[in-house]
Amino acid sequence: EVQLQQSGPEVGRPGSSVKISCKASGYTFTDYVMNWVKQSPGQGLEWIGWIDPEYGSTDYAEKFKKKATLTADTSSSTAYIQLSSLTSEDTATYFCARGDTMYTTDSPPYFDYWGQGVMVTVSS
Amino acid sequence: DVVLTQTPVSLSVTLGDQASISCRSSQSLEYSDGYTYLEWYLQKPGQSPQLLIYGVSNRFSGVPDRFIGSGSGTDFTLKISRVEPEDLGVYYCFQATHDPFTFGSGTKLEIK
């Protein structure tokens, strides 16, 4: 059974950084990209970016390029997102989501399995 | 960035009736390979989003055949026939054809 287990809620002070983890199980970690999605309180969904754990390659939405850093540890099948220079705008729930593809490994992904989400609160 | 406009914003449906949600894109979602990467997700209250439909019309594993996705180019529709209580939540369309990937703003389905 595919599972994505995310770490617990985080509280960060303005200007600091937090790092959230997403531990994958039930499949070969390096066979799928891992995506990250942001949901601000009471709001919709925003795609942050993806990482290919096999190669470490990444792609980010422009607005998150200076905010988020995606990494992956293949030895523990865990993906990470680090959020830096925190502001109140970063208060949100962050989801990891596995990206599968329909046709080839280069096809754009769809998100078939999701983590439970991590609430990040920025507060002084 | 591609903007996905969902209508209606909210929908109140009687159990057993049909619901229809529209998703209109600011650009064609046909990819260079000829396929269209438009998905539908449902976020039930207090839960993570879950995949319903991928590639416009393909139901994900375990999704009932009451959920039907259709469309092409810039106009897409999700139809839910015979609405059941477990269908309530917020429905999002999503496109992965253009970078950055983007979600629609969501349609909240309520049960009358």
Side-chain angles (χ1 to χ4, degrees):
Chain A
E1 180 193 4
V2 174
Q3 288 190 335
L4 300 177
Q5 183 63 41
Q6 297 188 240
S7 47
E10 295 274 357
V11 178
R13 296 200 183 281
S16 71
S17 298
V18 295
K19 192 171 185 178
I20 299 165
S21 67
C22 171
K23 183 170 177 57
S25 60
Y27 71 97
T28 301
F29 183 59
T30 50
D31 282 352
Y32 299 83
V33 300
M34 189 68 75
N35 292 264
W36 290 87
V37 173
K38 176 184 180 182
Q39 186 167 38
S40 300
Q43 301 299 309
L45 304 168
E46 288 183 276
W47 176 73
I48 297 171
W50 57 253
I51 182 166
D52 184 335
E54 181 172 15
Y55 302 107
S57 52
T58 55
D59 183 30
Y60 297 88
E62 188 67 34
K63 70 174 287 187
F64 291 104
K65 281 183 177 177
K66 293 184 179 179
K67 173 60 61 179
T69 301
L70 305 183
T71 57
D73 178 359
T74 57
S75 68
S76 63
S77 297
T78 304
Y80 299 91
I81 180 171
Q82 179 165 314
L83 303 168
S84 60
S85 303
L86 292 174
T87 72
S88 59
E89 297 292 306
D90 300 317
T91 293
T93 297
Y94 293 84
F95 297 97
C96 59
R98 191 181 82 161
D100 197 0
T101 57
M102 275 191 289
Y103 304 109
T104 72
T105 55
D106 292 329
S107 299
Y110 54 88
F111 307 157
D112 57 353
Y113 293 93
W114 294 64
Q116 81 274 23
V118 173
M119 181 68 200
V120 173
T121 304
V122 181
S123 173
S124 55
Chain B
D1 297 0
V2 171
V3 176
L4 298 179
T5 302
Q6 286 185 235
T7 54
V9 172
S10 64
L11 195 52
S12 184
V13 179
T14 300
L15 290 176
D17 281 358
Q18 177 176 279
S20 182
I21 301 170
S22 170
C23 177
R24 180 162 290 178
S25 174
S26 60
Q27 298 178 38
S28 173
L29 297 185
E30 185 175 325
Y31 192 57
S32 55
D33 62 6
Y35 295 106
T36 299
Y37 295 91
L38 184 285
E39 279 82 54
W40 290 94
Y41 296 88
L42 165 60
Q43 188 172 30
K44 297 182 180 181
Q47 296 186 18
S48 305
Q50 59 188 79
L51 176 66
L52 296 174
I53 302 285
Y54 62 95
V56 179
S57 59
N58 300 282
R59 274 185 297 275
F60 184 56
S61 174
V63 175
D65 59 8
R66 302 184 292 104
F67 291 87
I68 299 172
S70 63
S72 64
T74 60
D75 290 306
F76 302 90
T77 302
L78 176 68
K79 283 186 167 48
I80 312 163
S81 61
R82 306 182 306 279
V83 168
E84 298 188 4
E86 60 264 30
D87 299 338
L88 74 89
V90 182
Y91 290 78
Y92 295 94
C93 57
F94 170 83
Q95 68 82 24
T97 295
H98 300 282
D99 195 341
F101 306 157
T102 50
F103 289 90
S105 52
T107 295
K108 186 174 185 177
L109 178 66
E110 298 172 320
I111 308 298
K112 278 185 188 173

